[in-house]
Amino acid sequence: MGESSARGITYHPGENGQNRPARPGADARLARLITELQGRGLRVEVPLESRQGGAGPADAGMLWIDGFAATVPTSAQYAHTSPYVLRAEDDGWGIYAGGERLASAQPFGRPRYYDLTTADGIPYWQIALLHLDSLASTVIQTCAYWGNSDQCTFCGIGVTLANGRTIAKKTPEMLAEVAVAARELDGAVDATLTTGTTATPDKGALYVARCAAAVHEASGLPVEVQFEPPRDLGVIDQVADLGVGSVGIHVETFDPQVLARVAPAKARTGIDAYFRAWERAVAAFGAGQVSTYVILGMGEDPGLIVEGCRRAIDIGVYPFVVPLRPTVGSLMEHMTAPPPEYCETIYRQVVPYLAARGLGARGVAAGCARCQACSAMSLLEGSSDADGRTHLPLVSNR
Ligand code: SF4
């Protein structure tokens, strides 16, 4: 397949995934820049391949910055007034602020498998997207909480469905077919499968796990699945038996008052129920293979966040701490991301605790905590290119 052009970005085969350019040694300047971009967003003078909508907090333009993978807000209103801008250059791209060139950049190119369709005419990109080097899909694009008073305020799962960018339910067979193509054509290294919550006792866990089993069997890719705590924790053991590598059970925040405001159904489940589910999952998947999103910037008490993260780490859970990315179309679309300085303060109290217990992104088999491009947490884990993961250097103390 030859060179193609998508929405103004010329794509050269091999630009994405495992064939991405070698990463140079990063420095504190680059680390600070990526932290800033994730907090203040990036203006783009050309459309950027991005994730808009989907389950969870989702606005994310995807690119390589000086060779490092990163996702940064590009669609939210506040990103349109960011001091940082992505500009085309004579030979490539650069990130600028106030006329000063800060770094080279490479927009994430349109994956080649996006040009394929299933035998019954469904475009592969409506089944699963490539997020940098991870194949990602919301296998059931509806949620029992969407559109009623239980809807998570940061979530955009119904947005993508309403605007026709995806289909409501992906089958294991569809996902397996797309995973093989994503691995072979675009170098996908893992798959991240999530689901809207179903009104069944397993909350959708068994269906997303069956999808994962099909993806893993067909493509060999390690897979993370994400779901809510099932009513019967024995479901978690059934998920593990299906060949799933990692699992995400997302509490979103450790501040109970904020949880009640932003995710009422999760609040009714209760934070302690998440801990019980995590304990069962760690027993089934191993320490470090269980993660939870922890979203910063929703009005939380930072002390509760750090305390909750450490309690989770104590039982072998990786708290994936991310800044809020208000999704256009979500109930939080009017909000902004939290200041980078605030996020860094939390990372600094969580990451050393992780490291002291032998946990880190390097040990995660698949999914968001493996990729790390949506958080600056790995800035504090030190840099390493040896394993092909996205690790960034220590940020100097302010
Ligand atoms: S549980 Fe909340 S975050 Fe997950 S899909 Fe439903 S509304 Fe979105």
PDB file of all heavy atoms in Angstrom, residues 65-101:
ATOM      1  N   ILE A  65       6.231  13.679  20.060  1.00  0.00           N
ATOM      2  CA  ILE A  65       6.914  14.937  20.329  1.00  0.00           C
ATOM      3  C   ILE A  65       8.378  14.629  20.593  1.00  0.00           C
ATOM      4  O   ILE A  65       8.701  13.917  21.550  1.00  0.00           O
ATOM      5  CB  ILE A  65       6.279  15.662  21.534  1.00  0.00           C
ATOM      6  CG1 ILE A  65       4.803  15.949  21.245  1.00  0.00           C
ATOM      7  CG2 ILE A  65       7.039  16.947  21.843  1.00  0.00           C
ATOM      8  CD1 ILE A  65       4.040  16.506  22.430  1.00  0.00           C
ATOM      9  N   ASP A  66       9.255  15.136  19.742  1.00  0.00           N
ATOM     10  CA  ASP A  66      10.673  14.748  19.783  1.00  0.00           C
ATOM     11  C   ASP A  66      10.806  13.230  19.885  1.00  0.00           C
ATOM     12  O   ASP A  66      11.695  12.710  20.555  1.00  0.00           O
ATOM     13  CB  ASP A  66      11.406  15.428  20.951  1.00  0.00           C
ATOM     14  CG  ASP A  66      11.895  16.836  20.580  1.00  0.00           C
ATOM     15  OD1 ASP A  66      11.732  17.233  19.411  1.00  0.00           O
ATOM     16  OD2 ASP A  66      12.433  17.521  21.474  1.00  0.00           O
ATOM     17  N   GLY A  67       9.900  12.526  19.242  1.00  0.00           N
ATOM     18  CA  GLY A  67       9.960  11.079  19.209  1.00  0.00           C
ATOM     19  C   GLY A  67       9.192  10.381  20.312  1.00  0.00           C
ATOM     20  O   GLY A  67       9.121   9.153  20.319  1.00  0.00           O
ATOM     21  N   PHE A  68       8.626  11.141  21.249  1.00  0.00           N
ATOM     22  CA  PHE A  68       7.887  10.529  22.366  1.00  0.00           C
ATOM     23  C   PHE A  68       6.385  10.569  22.105  1.00  0.00           C
ATOM     24  O   PHE A  68       5.843  11.603  21.722  1.00  0.00           O
ATOM     25  CB  PHE A  68       8.186  11.274  23.670  1.00  0.00           C
ATOM     26  CG  PHE A  68       9.521  10.928  24.266  1.00  0.00           C
ATOM     27  CD1 PHE A  68      10.687  11.429  23.710  1.00  0.00           C
ATOM     28  CD2 PHE A  68       9.610  10.085  25.355  1.00  0.00           C
ATOM     29  CE1 PHE A  68      11.930  11.100  24.233  1.00  0.00           C
ATOM     30  CE2 PHE A  68      10.842   9.752  25.893  1.00  0.00           C
ATOM     31  CZ  PHE A  68      12.009  10.255  25.327  1.00  0.00           C
ATOM     32  N   ALA A  69       5.724   9.452  22.375  1.00  0.00           N
ATOM     33  CA  ALA A  69       4.278   9.394  22.203  1.00  0.00           C
ATOM     34  C   ALA A  69       3.587  10.250  23.247  1.00  0.00           C
ATOM     35  O   ALA A  69       3.960  10.235  24.417  1.00  0.00           O
ATOM     36  CB  ALA A  69       3.803   7.952  22.345  1.00  0.00           C
ATOM     37  N   ALA A  70       2.569  10.987  22.805  1.00  0.00           N
ATOM     38  CA  ALA A  70       1.795  11.788  23.754  1.00  0.00           C
ATOM     39  C   ALA A  70       0.398  11.994  23.206  1.00  0.00           C
ATOM     40  O   ALA A  70       0.188  12.046  21.992  1.00  0.00           O
ATOM     41  CB  ALA A  70       2.466  13.132  23.990  1.00  0.00           C
ATOM     42  N   THR A  71      -0.559  12.084  24.106  1.00  0.00           N
ATOM     43  CA  THR A  71      -1.884  12.541  23.717  1.00  0.00           C
ATOM     44  C   THR A  71      -2.125  13.860  24.444  1.00  0.00           C
ATOM     45  O   THR A  71      -1.783  14.002  25.618  1.00  0.00           O
ATOM     46  CB  THR A  71      -2.983  11.530  24.094  1.00  0.00           C
ATOM     47  OG1 THR A  71      -3.080  11.425  25.514  1.00  0.00           O
ATOM     48  CG2 THR A  71      -2.692  10.163  23.500  1.00  0.00           C
ATOM     49  N   VAL A  72      -2.687  14.803  23.726  1.00  0.00           N
ATOM     50  CA  VAL A  72      -2.906  16.139  24.301  1.00  0.00           C
ATOM     51  C   VAL A  72      -4.273  16.654  23.862  1.00  0.00           C
ATOM     52  O   VAL A  72      -4.741  16.316  22.776  1.00  0.00           O
ATOM     53  CB  VAL A  72      -1.801  17.132  23.858  1.00  0.00           C
ATOM     54  CG1 VAL A  72      -0.433  16.651  24.324  1.00  0.00           C
ATOM     55  CG2 VAL A  72      -1.810  17.326  22.361  1.00  0.00           C
ATOM     56  N   PRO A  73      -4.911  17.472  24.682  1.00  0.00           N
ATOM     57  CA  PRO A  73      -6.213  18.007  24.272  1.00  0.00           C
ATOM     58  C   PRO A  73      -6.067  18.926  23.054  1.00  0.00           C
ATOM     59  O   PRO A  73      -5.169  19.773  23.017  1.00  0.00           O
ATOM     60  CB  PRO A  73      -6.670  18.812  25.496  1.00  0.00           C
ATOM     61  CG  PRO A  73      -5.840  18.313  26.632  1.00  0.00           C
ATOM     62  CD  PRO A  73      -4.541  17.885  26.037  1.00  0.00           C
ATOM     63  N   THR A  74      -6.927  18.721  22.070  1.00  0.00           N
ATOM     64  CA  THR A  74      -6.896  19.576  20.888  1.00  0.00           C
ATOM     65  C   THR A  74      -8.289  20.106  20.507  1.00  0.00           C
ATOM     66  O   THR A  74      -8.381  21.089  19.781  1.00  0.00           O
ATOM     67  CB  THR A  74      -6.338  18.809  19.669  1.00  0.00           C
ATOM     68  OG1 THR A  74      -7.111  17.610  19.487  1.00  0.00           O
ATOM     69  CG2 THR A  74      -4.880  18.446  19.862  1.00  0.00           C
ATOM     70  N   SER A  75      -9.341  19.446  20.980  1.00  0.00           N
ATOM     71  CA  SER A  75     -10.684  19.816  20.541  1.00  0.00           C
ATOM     72  C   SER A  75     -11.402  20.740  21.520  1.00  0.00           C
ATOM     73  O   SER A  75     -12.270  21.517  21.114  1.00  0.00           O
ATOM     74  CB  SER A  75     -11.547  18.562  20.361  1.00  0.00           C
ATOM     75  OG  SER A  75     -10.957  17.676  19.459  1.00  0.00           O
ATOM     76  N   ALA A  76     -11.066  20.628  22.800  1.00  0.00           N
ATOM     77  CA  ALA A  76     -11.776  21.421  23.805  1.00  0.00           C
ATOM     78  C   ALA A  76     -11.540  22.918  23.566  1.00  0.00           C
ATOM     79  O   ALA A  76     -10.516  23.327  23.003  1.00  0.00           O
ATOM     80  CB  ALA A  76     -11.301  21.035  25.200  1.00  0.00           C
ATOM     81  N   GLN A  77     -12.494  23.724  24.023  1.00  0.00           N
ATOM     82  CA  GLN A  77     -12.426  25.169  23.803  1.00  0.00           C
ATOM     83  C   GLN A  77     -11.122  25.761  24.339  1.00  0.00           C
ATOM     84  O   GLN A  77     -10.487  26.593  23.701  1.00  0.00           O
ATOM     85  CB  GLN A  77     -13.634  25.834  24.475  1.00  0.00           C
ATOM     86  CG  GLN A  77     -13.959  27.221  23.964  1.00  0.00           C
ATOM     87  CD  GLN A  77     -14.207  27.267  22.462  1.00  0.00           C
ATOM     88  OE1 GLN A  77     -14.845  26.383  21.908  1.00  0.00           O
ATOM     89  NE2 GLN A  77     -13.666  28.295  21.796  1.00  0.00           N
ATOM     90  N   TYR A  78     -10.706  25.309  25.530  1.00  0.00           N
ATOM     91  CA  TYR A  78      -9.509  25.909  26.120  1.00  0.00           C
ATOM     92  C   TYR A  78      -8.258  25.609  25.300  1.00  0.00           C
ATOM     93  O   TYR A  78      -7.295  26.377  25.314  1.00  0.00           O
ATOM     94  CB  TYR A  78      -9.327  25.467  27.583  1.00  0.00           C
ATOM     95  CG  TYR A  78      -9.029  24.004  27.771  1.00  0.00           C
ATOM     96  CD1 TYR A  78      -7.725  23.532  27.758  1.00  0.00           C
ATOM     97  CD2 TYR A  78     -10.060  23.100  27.976  1.00  0.00           C
ATOM     98  CE1 TYR A  78      -7.451  22.183  27.934  1.00  0.00           C
ATOM     99  CE2 TYR A  78      -9.801  21.747  28.151  1.00  0.00           C
ATOM    100  CZ  TYR A  78      -8.497  21.296  28.128  1.00  0.00           C
ATOM    101  OH  TYR A  78      -8.230  19.960  28.300  1.00  0.00           O
ATOM    102  N   ALA A  79      -8.273  24.498  24.561  1.00  0.00           N
ATOM    103  CA  ALA A  79      -7.107  24.175  23.735  1.00  0.00           C
ATOM    104  C   ALA A  79      -6.958  25.172  22.584  1.00  0.00           C
ATOM    105  O   ALA A  79      -5.852  25.387  22.072  1.00  0.00           O
ATOM    106  CB  ALA A  79      -7.225  22.754  23.194  1.00  0.00           C
ATOM    107  N   HIS A  80      -8.066  25.789  22.201  1.00  0.00           N
ATOM    108  CA  HIS A  80      -8.009  26.748  21.086  1.00  0.00           C
ATOM    109  C   HIS A  80      -7.297  28.038  21.475  1.00  0.00           C
ATOM    110  O   HIS A  80      -6.933  28.826  20.619  1.00  0.00           O
ATOM    111  CB  HIS A  80      -9.429  27.052  20.579  1.00  0.00           C
ATOM    112  CG  HIS A  80     -10.138  25.847  20.069  1.00  0.00           C
ATOM    113  ND1 HIS A  80     -11.507  25.726  20.056  1.00  0.00           N
ATOM    114  CD2 HIS A  80      -9.659  24.671  19.589  1.00  0.00           C
ATOM    115  CE1 HIS A  80     -11.843  24.538  19.571  1.00  0.00           C
ATOM    116  NE2 HIS A  80     -10.741  23.888  19.288  1.00  0.00           N
ATOM    117  N   THR A  81      -7.118  28.260  22.774  1.00  0.00           N
ATOM    118  CA  THR A  81      -6.385  29.454  23.217  1.00  0.00           C
ATOM    119  C   THR A  81      -5.069  29.066  23.904  1.00  0.00           C
ATOM    120  O   THR A  81      -4.476  29.878  24.601  1.00  0.00           O
ATOM    121  CB  THR A  81      -7.248  30.286  24.192  1.00  0.00           C
ATOM    122  OG1 THR A  81      -7.642  29.447  25.293  1.00  0.00           O
ATOM    123  CG2 THR A  81      -8.494  30.832  23.508  1.00  0.00           C
ATOM    124  N   SER A  82      -4.642  27.839  23.693  1.00  0.00           N
ATOM    125  CA  SER A  82      -3.374  27.389  24.281  1.00  0.00           C
ATOM    126  C   SER A  82      -2.219  28.234  23.728  1.00  0.00           C
ATOM    127  O   SER A  82      -2.232  28.632  22.557  1.00  0.00           O
ATOM    128  CB  SER A  82      -3.140  25.913  23.941  1.00  0.00           C
ATOM    129  OG  SER A  82      -1.817  25.544  24.246  1.00  0.00           O
ATOM    130  N   PRO A  83      -1.200  28.480  24.545  1.00  0.00           N
ATOM    131  CA  PRO A  83      -0.014  29.167  24.014  1.00  0.00           C
ATOM    132  C   PRO A  83       0.777  28.292  23.049  1.00  0.00           C
ATOM    133  O   PRO A  83       1.658  28.785  22.339  1.00  0.00           O
ATOM    134  CB  PRO A  83       0.812  29.489  25.269  1.00  0.00           C
ATOM    135  CG  PRO A  83       0.339  28.521  26.308  1.00  0.00           C
ATOM    136  CD  PRO A  83      -1.102  28.225  25.985  1.00  0.00           C
ATOM    137  N   TYR A  84       0.457  27.017  22.987  1.00  0.00           N
ATOM    138  CA  TYR A  84       1.237  26.083  22.168  1.00  0.00           C
ATOM    139  C   TYR A  84       0.498  25.778  20.868  1.00  0.00           C
ATOM    140  O   TYR A  84      -0.709  25.589  20.864  1.00  0.00           O
ATOM    141  CB  TYR A  84       1.479  24.780  22.939  1.00  0.00           C
ATOM    142  CG  TYR A  84       2.170  25.019  24.256  1.00  0.00           C
ATOM    143  CD1 TYR A  84       1.451  24.978  25.456  1.00  0.00           C
ATOM    144  CD2 TYR A  84       3.530  25.320  24.309  1.00  0.00           C
ATOM    145  CE1 TYR A  84       2.083  25.218  26.663  1.00  0.00           C
ATOM    146  CE2 TYR A  84       4.163  25.563  25.512  1.00  0.00           C
ATOM    147  CZ  TYR A  84       3.432  25.510  26.688  1.00  0.00           C
ATOM    148  OH  TYR A  84       4.051  25.759  27.879  1.00  0.00           O
ATOM    149  N   VAL A  85       1.274  25.733  19.784  1.00  0.00           N
ATOM    150  CA  VAL A  85       0.654  25.480  18.484  1.00  0.00           C
ATOM    151  C   VAL A  85       1.506  24.488  17.693  1.00  0.00           C
ATOM    152  O   VAL A  85       2.751  24.514  17.768  1.00  0.00           O
ATOM    153  CB  VAL A  85       0.470  26.807  17.694  1.00  0.00           C
ATOM    154  CG1 VAL A  85       1.798  27.504  17.443  1.00  0.00           C
ATOM    155  CG2 VAL A  85      -0.279  26.566  16.394  1.00  0.00           C
ATOM    156  N   LEU A  86       0.826  23.609  16.974  1.00  0.00           N
ATOM    157  CA  LEU A  86       1.499  22.656  16.079  1.00  0.00           C
ATOM    158  C   LEU A  86       1.533  23.268  14.681  1.00  0.00           C
ATOM    159  O   LEU A  86       0.494  23.644  14.140  1.00  0.00           O
ATOM    160  CB  LEU A  86       0.728  21.341  16.051  1.00  0.00           C
ATOM    161  CG  LEU A  86       1.256  20.264  15.098  1.00  0.00           C
ATOM    162  CD1 LEU A  86       2.581  19.691  15.581  1.00  0.00           C
ATOM    163  CD2 LEU A  86       0.220  19.153  14.926  1.00  0.00           C
ATOM    164  N   ARG A  87       2.737  23.386  14.106  1.00  0.00           N
ATOM    165  CA  ARG A  87       2.870  24.019  12.787  1.00  0.00           C
ATOM    166  C   ARG A  87       3.590  23.099  11.808  1.00  0.00           C
ATOM    167  O   ARG A  87       4.544  22.411  12.175  1.00  0.00           O
ATOM    168  CB  ARG A  87       3.722  25.279  12.909  1.00  0.00           C
ATOM    169  CG  ARG A  87       2.935  26.430  13.408  1.00  0.00           C
ATOM    170  CD  ARG A  87       3.525  27.783  13.057  1.00  0.00           C
ATOM    171  NE  ARG A  87       2.690  28.744  13.750  1.00  0.00           N
ATOM    172  CZ  ARG A  87       3.127  29.635  14.619  1.00  0.00           C
ATOM    173  NH1 ARG A  87       4.410  29.755  14.847  1.00  0.00           N
ATOM    174  NH2 ARG A  87       2.286  30.445  15.223  1.00  0.00           N
ATOM    175  N   ALA A  88       3.150  23.168  10.566  1.00  0.00           N
ATOM    176  CA  ALA A  88       3.871  22.472   9.505  1.00  0.00           C
ATOM    177  C   ALA A  88       5.146  23.238   9.197  1.00  0.00           C
ATOM    178  O   ALA A  88       5.155  24.472   9.188  1.00  0.00           O
ATOM    179  CB  ALA A  88       2.993  22.379   8.264  1.00  0.00           C
ATOM    180  N   GLU A  89       6.218  22.492   8.959  1.00  0.00           N
ATOM    181  CA  GLU A  89       7.490  23.089   8.569  1.00  0.00           C
ATOM    182  C   GLU A  89       7.851  22.583   7.177  1.00  0.00           C
ATOM    183  O   GLU A  89       7.162  21.732   6.629  1.00  0.00           O
ATOM    184  CB  GLU A  89       8.568  22.697   9.591  1.00  0.00           C
ATOM    185  CG  GLU A  89       8.239  23.191  11.003  1.00  0.00           C
ATOM    186  CD  GLU A  89       9.201  22.660  12.056  1.00  0.00           C
ATOM    187  OE1 GLU A  89       9.786  21.564  11.829  1.00  0.00           O
ATOM    188  OE2 GLU A  89       9.362  23.331  13.093  1.00  0.00           O
ATOM    189  N   ASP A  90       8.937  23.104   6.620  1.00  0.00           N
ATOM    190  CA  ASP A  90       9.325  22.664   5.279  1.00  0.00           C
ATOM    191  C   ASP A  90       9.500  21.156   5.237  1.00  0.00           C
ATOM    192  O   ASP A  90       9.115  20.493   4.281  1.00  0.00           O
ATOM    193  CB  ASP A  90      10.646  23.337   4.874  1.00  0.00           C
ATOM    194  CG  ASP A  90      10.437  24.820   4.572  1.00  0.00           C
ATOM    195  OD1 ASP A  90       9.267  25.217   4.412  1.00  0.00           O
ATOM    196  OD2 ASP A  90      11.427  25.561   4.536  1.00  0.00           O
ATOM    197  N   ASP A  91      10.060  20.607   6.307  1.00  0.00           N
ATOM    198  CA  ASP A  91      10.309  19.172   6.343  1.00  0.00           C
ATOM    199  C   ASP A  91       9.853  18.625   7.689  1.00  0.00           C
ATOM    200  O   ASP A  91      10.654  18.383   8.585  1.00  0.00           O
ATOM    201  CB  ASP A  91      11.806  18.904   6.120  1.00  0.00           C
ATOM    202  CG  ASP A  91      12.091  17.413   6.076  1.00  0.00           C
ATOM    203  OD1 ASP A  91      11.155  16.637   5.815  1.00  0.00           O
ATOM    204  OD2 ASP A  91      13.250  17.034   6.322  1.00  0.00           O
ATOM    205  N   GLY A  92       8.570  18.494   7.862  1.00  0.00           N
ATOM    206  CA  GLY A  92       8.056  17.953   9.114  1.00  0.00           C
ATOM    207  C   GLY A  92       7.172  18.941   9.850  1.00  0.00           C
ATOM    208  O   GLY A  92       6.496  19.773   9.231  1.00  0.00           O
ATOM    209  N   TRP A  93       7.174  18.825  11.178  1.00  0.00           N
ATOM    210  CA  TRP A  93       6.278  19.591  12.019  1.00  0.00           C
ATOM    211  C   TRP A  93       7.017  20.068  13.250  1.00  0.00           C
ATOM    212  O   TRP A  93       8.023  19.488  13.652  1.00  0.00           O
ATOM    213  CB  TRP A  93       5.108  18.710  12.471  1.00  0.00           C
ATOM    214  CG  TRP A  93       4.351  18.096  11.334  1.00  0.00           C
ATOM    215  CD1 TRP A  93       4.707  16.987  10.609  1.00  0.00           C
ATOM    216  CD2 TRP A  93       3.148  18.579  10.761  1.00  0.00           C
ATOM    217  NE1 TRP A  93       3.792  16.741   9.633  1.00  0.00           N
ATOM    218  CE2 TRP A  93       2.809  17.705   9.696  1.00  0.00           C
ATOM    219  CE3 TRP A  93       2.308  19.657  11.039  1.00  0.00           C
ATOM    220  CZ2 TRP A  93       1.675  17.878   8.926  1.00  0.00           C
ATOM    221  CZ3 TRP A  93       1.175  19.824  10.278  1.00  0.00           C
ATOM    222  CH2 TRP A  93       0.870  18.945   9.233  1.00  0.00           C
ATOM    223  N   GLY A  94       6.513  21.140  13.836  1.00  0.00           N
ATOM    224  CA  GLY A  94       7.130  21.627  15.062  1.00  0.00           C
ATOM    225  C   GLY A  94       6.080  22.145  16.024  1.00  0.00           C
ATOM    226  O   GLY A  94       4.962  22.503  15.631  1.00  0.00           O
ATOM    227  N   ILE A  95       6.427  22.164  17.304  1.00  0.00           N
ATOM    228  CA  ILE A  95       5.573  22.774  18.323  1.00  0.00           C
ATOM    229  C   ILE A  95       6.186  24.108  18.695  1.00  0.00           C
ATOM    230  O   ILE A  95       7.394  24.203  19.003  1.00  0.00           O
ATOM    231  CB  ILE A  95       5.432  21.843  19.541  1.00  0.00           C
ATOM    232  CG1 ILE A  95       4.618  20.620  19.125  1.00  0.00           C
ATOM    233  CG2 ILE A  95       4.751  22.570  20.701  1.00  0.00           C
ATOM    234  CD1 ILE A  95       4.486  19.571  20.178  1.00  0.00           C
ATOM    235  N   TYR A  96       5.383  25.136  18.671  1.00  0.00           N
ATOM    236  CA  TYR A  96       5.849  26.505  18.878  1.00  0.00           C
ATOM    237  C   TYR A  96       5.051  27.179  19.988  1.00  0.00           C
ATOM    238  O   TYR A  96       3.899  26.834  20.245  1.00  0.00           O
ATOM    239  CB  TYR A  96       5.667  27.336  17.593  1.00  0.00           C
ATOM    240  CG  TYR A  96       6.572  26.942  16.457  1.00  0.00           C
ATOM    241  CD1 TYR A  96       6.290  25.812  15.677  1.00  0.00           C
ATOM    242  CD2 TYR A  96       7.708  27.700  16.156  1.00  0.00           C
ATOM    243  CE1 TYR A  96       7.123  25.453  14.642  1.00  0.00           C
ATOM    244  CE2 TYR A  96       8.539  27.350  15.109  1.00  0.00           C
ATOM    245  CZ  TYR A  96       8.248  26.224  14.355  1.00  0.00           C
ATOM    246  OH  TYR A  96       9.080  25.861  13.317  1.00  0.00           O
ATOM    247  N   ALA A  97       5.686  28.151  20.621  1.00  0.00           N
ATOM    248  CA  ALA A  97       4.992  29.057  21.547  1.00  0.00           C
ATOM    249  C   ALA A  97       5.619  30.427  21.386  1.00  0.00           C
ATOM    250  O   ALA A  97       6.852  30.559  21.451  1.00  0.00           O
ATOM    251  CB  ALA A  97       5.111  28.582  22.986  1.00  0.00           C
ATOM    252  N   GLY A  98       4.788  31.440  21.150  1.00  0.00           N
ATOM    253  CA  GLY A  98       5.303  32.798  20.994  1.00  0.00           C
ATOM    254  C   GLY A  98       6.362  32.915  19.911  1.00  0.00           C
ATOM    255  O   GLY A  98       7.321  33.686  20.055  1.00  0.00           O
ATOM    256  N   GLY A  99       6.252  32.141  18.859  1.00  0.00           N
ATOM    257  CA  GLY A  99       7.210  32.218  17.765  1.00  0.00           C
ATOM    258  C   GLY A  99       8.455  31.386  17.983  1.00  0.00           C
ATOM    259  O   GLY A  99       9.276  31.233  17.081  1.00  0.00           O
ATOM    260  N   GLU A 100       8.613  30.813  19.167  1.00  0.00           N
ATOM    261  CA  GLU A 100       9.801  30.000  19.460  1.00  0.00           C
ATOM    262  C   GLU A 100       9.493  28.527  19.187  1.00  0.00           C
ATOM    263  O   GLU A 100       8.458  28.001  19.618  1.00  0.00           O
ATOM    264  CB  GLU A 100      10.199  30.173  20.924  1.00  0.00           C
ATOM    265  CG  GLU A 100      11.452  29.397  21.299  1.00  0.00           C
ATOM    266  CD  GLU A 100      11.746  29.455  22.795  1.00  0.00           C
ATOM    267  OE1 GLU A 100      11.012  30.169  23.519  1.00  0.00           O
ATOM    268  OE2 GLU A 100      12.680  28.773  23.236  1.00  0.00           O
ATOM    269  N   ARG A 101      10.413  27.870  18.497  1.00  0.00           N
ATOM    270  CA  ARG A 101      10.241  26.434  18.233  1.00  0.00           C
ATOM    271  C   ARG A 101      10.710  25.646  19.454  1.00  0.00           C
ATOM    272  O   ARG A 101      11.860  25.787  19.894  1.00  0.00           O
ATOM    273  CB  ARG A 101      11.045  26.021  17.003  1.00  0.00           C
ATOM    274  CG  ARG A 101      10.823  24.577  16.570  1.00  0.00           C
ATOM    275  CD  ARG A 101      11.702  24.249  15.365  1.00  0.00           C
ATOM    276  NE  ARG A 101      11.342  22.993  14.727  1.00  0.00           N
ATOM    277  CZ  ARG A 101      11.789  21.796  15.112  1.00  0.00           C
ATOM    278  NH1 ARG A 101      12.592  21.697  16.149  1.00  0.00           N
ATOM    279  NH2 ARG A 101      11.427  20.713  14.438  1.00  0.00           N
TER     280      ARG A 101
END
